[in-house]
Amino acid sequence: MYISPKASPARQREAQLARDNRAEIVKALSHGQINRRDLFKWGIFTATGALALKNGLSPFARSAFAAVPTGTPRSNLFGQQKFTCTLPRLALQKPVSLTRDPATRNAVFPASLGERPAKRLSYHTDFSANPSDNQFRNLVSGRGPIEGRPPGEIFAHQRWDEFFPKVGYVMSIGPVAAGSKFHPGFVAQNPNSVWCYGTGRFVSGTLPPPLIKARYGEPMLTRIYNNLPLYRSANEGFGVNETQAHFHNAHNGAESDGAANVHHFPGTFYDYRWSTTLARRDKINTQATDPRASGPNGSGGLTNVPGDFRELQGTLWFHDHRFFFTAENVYKGNYGMVNFYSGPDRGNETLVDGVNLRLPSGSLLDWGNTDFDVNLIVSDAAFRPDGQLFFDIFNTDGFLGDVPLVNSAYAPFFEVLPRKYRFRILNASMSRFWKLALAGPTGSAVPFQFIANDGNFVVNPITLTTLDHQGTAERYDIVVDFSRFRVGDKITLVNQLQMRPDGRGPQRDLTLAQALAGDPSDPCIGSIMQFNVVSSVPSVDVPNYTYSSTTPDNSVVPAILTQQIPIVAPVRTRLVEFGRSGNGDSRNSTGQCTPDCPETAVFPWTIRVNGQEAHSMNANRISLLIPKPGEIEHWTYVNGGGGWDHPIHLHFEEGVTINRGVDPIPATEKFVRKDVWRLRTIGQRAVTFQIQFGEYGGSYVNHCHNTVHEDFALLMRIQLLTGVPGSPQTAVTPTPNPTPDGVVWTTPEILPEGDPRTPS
Amino acid sequence: MSAHHAISKRLVLGFLIATPFALSASGQTTSPPPVTGTKKPTSATPQMIDEAIQRSQARTVKEREQRIPEQFGSEEPFTPTRN
């Protein structure tokens, strides 16, 4: 889609003009000067919501100057080259201790923060009881409650006393701070070009994204303020000022999953209780006697927790999940990472106790060392000619950027010692799949060990020279041993995957040599980051401490990392097809769309369950219902076909991947726990996995994590009746509908084919 | 548990579930009747899965051959091959 910088000036102008025209339409839409109905009337949108192939508008329309598509102009890099800025380490957040008020059961922040206590029930409950009381009212807008979490018991924090938050974080999502850049040589971003997290309440957002180090046995309360502009049009062309923060696959109650149609508005906050619950705690190791199910206690020991150690999680992230605007908001910067630390995955490479795996990390801290355990967030971006972040919302197939970013920096370099490192690689792109490999100084492939998929250990490390395709939201943990290199050597991280220009999915795997040669039509192919082997590096864990190349590497990669969860006969099987069946109508039986209707056209994506009628997303429709906790099911996902790849994400629980239909299953997936599965167009178009639900309940979702597809309704609500006995989450919960004045409730419809309580 | 306690618990639970309706900001609730009772398969059969995969394959072949993106309804009718 991106045209070569060597193309004629006329073609460059043509492509820029088309993109400017698209941007003008986006701006007019966001300012309310036109609506989607106008666009259909003018023939700009097709019936499926895609941009019509019009010259001067669509990048896929034939160019006036050549028999090729118009294309899109390359981003302005201001003359900067790759590997000229250092890798920013993620912004580590420091927790504050919370204390329990025995009278109120509230979690009290330190007085110095000036924060109101965190409560089991939302402050929306207080507002609803007394809307005129200013202490519960959003004083920025002058309307509605101060907290976005819906009122009453259904959105009370589940199991509050059992998982009472011990530490707290106060963060704000807001316009980026002045002077923030994606490379020192780029221009600074305008405040509303990037919306990201800052530490504290009255703060701007900052780059790089945040990192939270969490440990089992230490529940967290994360208070997120919405400091975004009050007016929706103040968005530099894309992004919506409403947010719900999804903690991607942490084991939390629906009220803290951030995807229950609970977005909140500027001036409000939302208290998420991130519980660090280990799955199966109500079923396995209930007395917490297994030391492998544990978290570090901070003084060399462990705090045991109930649950199944085989379900320990490690590399996680959180991101915006505002239905139908997720791609714009995440792309704009609304995300961060969370590392979960446990007895086996301690983040300490020297401590020997028979439980700790001693993976590369460091040892200056008791747990959570990150000197040799590095988070890498890989994404792709595009910039306007003036250097501001640009997003093209017109393509419902997918959005591809032409600037590779790692931790929000353009193709950075990272200095490493000649020893082992662990890298936690997250694909935070909107639509781009990556296939990453390492190239040594001579261009030959560098072997590495694959240890975890979506934050779940594989049973045995797998030696690879290239990763599998990595879809949006997938996390791959690898260990690279740089001891085979000499000081001065440079190793590059290489993307070997050619995408379809329309963003629908991968097109072709390239050899390492082909990838290193680059592709003029896609600058994200080839090297995207460089590792420079050096003789000393400063510690990030303990300031003023410096490691040298002679510092012993005490880390190991054990032959066994975890144990296999057996595959058993299921209670039931389910089939879910993601594609374009049916008519794409998102309305329910009474004509409602929740949260938003397409104004004229239908949504282009649908999901169907057990071969029945297809539906687009409606948050007030339950497509799958889980009747009770602990039942083991086998689910099969199938790509509906037609040429699109879909990375499908299931919230809340991980599934054990069983097979890929009739196609071979990669070693990195076979019997491995995952929460995102790629459904390919050819080969691996299906996946079957084993799943069970427990500990919490409520409303969650299941969706394509190509967020452009997701925003055009390729998601569905799943309802878990798996709350603890006596809780509201043992029954179907009503649907919250956020408004600036507070939440309004509706009663969801339930698809009979998704409800096993329905006699078939 | 005494009968009185059990009834009280049910009442409290009923109240808790109903509370959000009473607390809604505008006092509005809309309540379309849940769609229940229609007989549809709530469990997938191997044949159903096989048919879905065949349908997926057929659509992809069509897209590759005709270079036309999948449109709503264009996949129908589809006749799977029975094994």
Side-chain angles (χ1 to χ4, degrees):
Chain A
M1 188 167 77
Y2 287 93
I3 60 174
S4 167
K6 293 176 185 168
S8 70
R11 282 206 61 208
Q12 302 277 2
R13 279 195 301 273
E14 178 192 46
Q16 185 60 50
L17 182 65
R19 190 157 87 166
D20 289 346
N21 289 340
R22 297 198 296 277
E24 279 301 310
I25 294 170
V26 172
K27 192 174 169 187
L29 271 170
S30 67
H31 291 195
Q33 294 165 327
I34 58 172
N35 59 35
R36 283 177 184 261
R37 188 171 288 114
D38 296 324
L39 298 179
F40 286 103
K41 203 187 313 175
W42 300 336
I44 289 173
F45 268 161
T46 67
T48 57
L51 183 65
L53 284 175
K54 282 179 178 285
N55 187 256
L57 188 63
S58 169
F60 304 112
R62 181 176 159 140
S63 167
F65 301 98
V68 293
T70 301
T72 295
R74 294 273 284 269
S75 296
N76 187 350
L77 298 178
F78 298 91
Q80 302 303 316
Q81 303 297 313
K82 289 179 175 176
F83 320 133
T84 55
C85 73
T86 56
L87 173 80
R89 300 298 298 270
L90 299 186
L92 182 64
Q93 304 299 298
K94 291 182 180 163
V96 295
S97 293
L98 301 180
T99 54
R100 181 183 169 92
D101 180 340
T104 60
R105 297 163 65 198
N106 291 345
V108 181
F109 283 91
S112 58
L113 291 185
E115 291 291 329
R116 65 186 79 207
K119 305 198 301 179
R120 191 180 70 87
L121 285 168
S122 166
Y123 282 96
H124 193 324
T125 314
D126 304 289
F127 166 81
S128 298
N130 188 1
S132 61
D133 188 338
N134 278 349
Q135 65 174 320
F136 305 123
R137 205 154 60 86
N138 178 358
L139 295 179
V140 173
S141 68
R143 298 169 60 185
I146 186 67
E147 183 172 2
R149 187 162 51 109
E153 284 293 330
I154 291 169
F155 276 82
H157 292 300
Q158 296 176 52
R159 307 178 80 153
W160 173 252
D161 295 317
E162 270 180 278
F163 295 95
F164 190 84
K166 295 178 179 173
V167 296
Y169 295 89
V170 178
M171 301 168 71
S172 297
I173 180 78
V176 73
S180 298
K181 301 176 180 181
F182 291 95
H183 184 286
F186 288 4
V187 297
Q189 294 297 302
N190 295 337
N192 288 323
S193 292
V194 175
W195 289 344
C196 51
Y197 287 98
T199 305
R201 183 173 180 182
F202 301 108
V203 295
S204 297
T206 55
L207 296 175
L211 170 66
I212 288 175
K213 295 198 291 191
R215 51 181 166 167
Y216 281 97
E218 189 174 71
M220 302 166 278
L221 190 293
T222 304
R223 175 166 290 173
I224 293 178
Y225 283 94
N226 181 341
N227 285 354
L228 296 170
L230 195 54
Y231 298 103
R232 217 165 165 168
S233 57
N235 67 350
E236 289 282 351
F238 65 95
V240 70
N241 58 356
E242 301 157 6
T243 186
Q244 54 180 342
H246 168 51
F247 189 175
H248 186 112
N249 256 57
H251 206 65
N252 290 317
E255 69 282 357
S256 292
D257 190 57
N261 202 40
V262 288
H263 53 266
H264 61 112
F265 299 87
T268 66
F269 67 89
Y270 195 116
D271 278 351
Y272 297 92
R273 198 277 311 272
W274 291 346
S275 65
T276 69
T277 304
L278 179 56
R280 258 36 75 199
R281 65 162 283 127
D282 295 342
K283 191 175 175 182
I284 294 174
N285 183 35
T286 55
Q287 300 304 308
T289 54
D290 186 342
R292 295 170 297 185
S294 58
N297 69 2
S299 52
L302 296 171
T303 302
N304 285 8
V305 297
D308 186 349
F309 81 95
R310 297 170 300 183
E311 302 214 25
L312 287 169
Q313 296 179 293
T315 302
L316 301 168
W317 70 307
F318 62 96
H319 58 83
D320 177 74
H321 213 303
R322 198 324 186 159
F323 291 149
F324 303 158
F325 290 93
T326 301
E328 296 176 45
N329 284 357
V330 175
Y331 178 77
K332 216 169 167 74
N334 191 332
Y335 59 89
M337 288 192 80
V338 183
N339 294 347
F340 266 14
Y341 293 93
S342 59
D345 197 3
R346 198 80 57 89
N348 184 315
E349 63 188 33
T350 59
L351 202 153
V352 180
D353 62 3
V355 174
N356 182 21
L357 293 171
R358 297 175 52 204
L359 290 162
S361 47
S363 55
L364 298 178
L365 307 176
D366 179 66
W367 62 279
N369 288 280
T370 56
D371 282 332
F372 308 111
D373 178 352
V374 183
N375 294 72
L376 300 179
I377 303 178
V378 177
S379 62
D380 52 336
F383 297 97
R384 303 188 315 220
D386 65 357
Q388 298 301 310
L389 193 64
F390 178 81
F391 185 73
D392 195 335
I393 67 164
F394 276 103
N395 194 334
T396 57
D397 289 331
F399 171 79
L400 300 178
D402 67 331
V403 180
L405 301 177
V406 183
N407 293 357
S408 298
Y410 168 53
F413 67 86
F414 181 54
E415 293 186 335
V416 297
L417 292 175
R419 55 153 291 154
K420 292 190 286 300
Y421 277 76
R422 172 183 183 168
F423 296 105
R424 303 170 187 254
I425 305 171
L426 161 69
N427 178 358
S429 295
M430 300 307 100
S431 305
R432 183 181 290 276
F433 293 67
W434 301 82
K435 180 174 175 58
L436 298 174
L438 290 161
T442 60
S444 58
V446 176
F448 54 87
Q449 288 175 294
F450 182 94
I451 59 168
N453 198 329
D454 291 348
N456 306 282
F457 280 133
V458 293
V459 173
N460 310 112
I462 301 165
T463 300
L464 301 171
T465 52
T466 180
L467 284 166
D468 199 358
H469 291 187
Q470 187 168 3
T472 301
E474 287 191 290
R475 289 90 67 208
Y476 292 161
D477 285 26
I478 63 171
V479 173
V480 182
D481 189 351
F482 293 105
S483 68
R484 74 190 71 204
F485 300 107
R486 292 174 301 186
V487 170
D489 282 348
K490 298 181 190 307
I491 297 94
T492 53
L493 184 65
V494 182
N495 178 29
Q496 294 179 264
L497 188 55
Q498 186 179 66
M499 291 289 288
R500 289 179 59 152
D502 52 19
R504 289 186 185 183
Q507 179 157 282
R508 187 165 70 105
D509 290 3
L510 304 174
T511 66
L512 192 56
Q514 287 172 327
L516 284 167
D519 181 340
S521 68
D522 186 355
C524 288
I525 289 175
S527 303
I528 63 168
M529 180 181 169
Q530 191 172 71
F531 300 96
N532 298 343
V533 182
V534 297
S535 57
S536 67
V537 297
S539 169
V540 293
D541 294 320
V542 175
N544 303 319
Y545 184 91
T546 300
Y547 296 95
S548 80
S549 55
T550 57
T551 306
D553 176 0
N554 294 310
S555 69
V556 293
V557 182
I560 298 174
L561 299 169
T562 186
Q563 287 182 10
Q564 185 63 55
I565 295 175
I567 304 300
V568 300
V571 171
R572 69 184 62 83
T573 57
R574 308 204 198 213
L575 166 65
V576 186
E577 292 172 81
F578 297 84
R580 291 196 163 185
S581 300
N583 62 13
D585 194 339
S586 63
R587 291 172 294 183
N588 68 10
S589 55
T590 59
Q592 281 179 325
C593 297
T594 308
D596 303 293
C597 268
E599 289 183 40
T600 299
V602 294
F603 284 118
W605 302 105
T606 58
I607 300 173
R608 65 175 171 188
V609 173
N610 292 341
Q612 303 303 302
E613 189 183 353
H615 298 276
S616 290
M617 167 64 171
N618 186 319
N620 200 39
R621 178 192 299 119
I622 295 165
S623 295
L624 288 179
L625 183 143
I626 310 301
K628 56 183 175 183
E631 289 186 334
I632 293 177
E633 303 191 1
H634 287 183
W635 291 13
T636 296
Y637 289 164
V638 176
N639 186 335
W644 291 270
D645 278 59
H646 301 296
I648 303 297
H649 172 44
L650 174 63
H651 282 218
F652 183 60
E653 292 280 10
E654 323 284 296
V656 183
T657 317
I658 301 172
N659 66 53
R660 282 293 196 163
V662 296
D663 297 304
I665 182 169
T668 50
E669 287 189 354
K670 189 173 184 181
F671 302 134
V672 174
R673 282 159 38 83
K674 279 184 69 60
D675 59 61
V676 181
W677 293 270
R678 280 160 282 114
L679 301 183
R680 312 289 304 275
T681 52
I682 298 174
Q684 299 177 12
R685 67 178 71 244
V687 66
T688 298
F689 57 89
Q690 175 170 289
I691 189 83
Q692 63 175 311
F693 297 84
E695 285 79 52
Y696 295 100
S699 175
Y700 298 81
V701 289
N702 182 191
H703 61 91
C704 180
H705 222 299
N706 176 333
T707 46
V708 176
H709 297 182
E710 178 186 343
D711 284 350
F712 287 90
L714 194 52
L715 72 167
M716 66 176 173
R717 173 174 169 181
I718 58 176
Q719 183 77 35
L720 313 185
L721 311 189
T722 52
V724 292
S727 70
Q729 288 78 21
T730 55
V732 172
T733 51
T735 309
N737 297 268
T739 79
D741 297 311
V743 165
V744 175
W745 301 87
T746 49
T747 302
E749 67 171 318
I750 306 169
L751 297 182
E753 63 269 32
D755 184 358
R757 301 172 307 170
T758 310
S760 51
Chain B
M1 185 186 295
S2 69
H4 175 75
H5 187 195
I7 292 167
S8 302
K9 193 174 173 186
R10 256 182 253 132
L11 286 172
V12 168
L13 187 59
F15 170 76
L16 294 179
I17 293 170
T19 295
F21 292 89
L23 293 175
S24 66
S26 65
Q28 294 174 11
T29 59
T30 59
S31 302
V35 179
T36 55
T38 311
K39 287 189 177 180
K40 290 191 174 175
T42 58
S43 197
T45 62
Q47 185 179 318
M48 206 183 279
I49 294 168
D50 183 53
E51 181 178 323
I53 292 173
Q54 285 188 42
R55 189 162 50 233
S56 170
Q57 288 168 331
R59 287 183 197 159
T60 300
V61 167
K62 185 178 169 187
E63 187 268 341
R64 295 263 156 159
E65 288 177 349
Q66 301 181 2
R67 297 274 169 199
I68 298 171
E70 187 68 42
Q71 303 296 320
F72 290 120
S74 63
E75 78 278 15
E76 307 298 350
F78 173 75
T79 307
T81 305
R82 303 282 183 216
N83 295 319

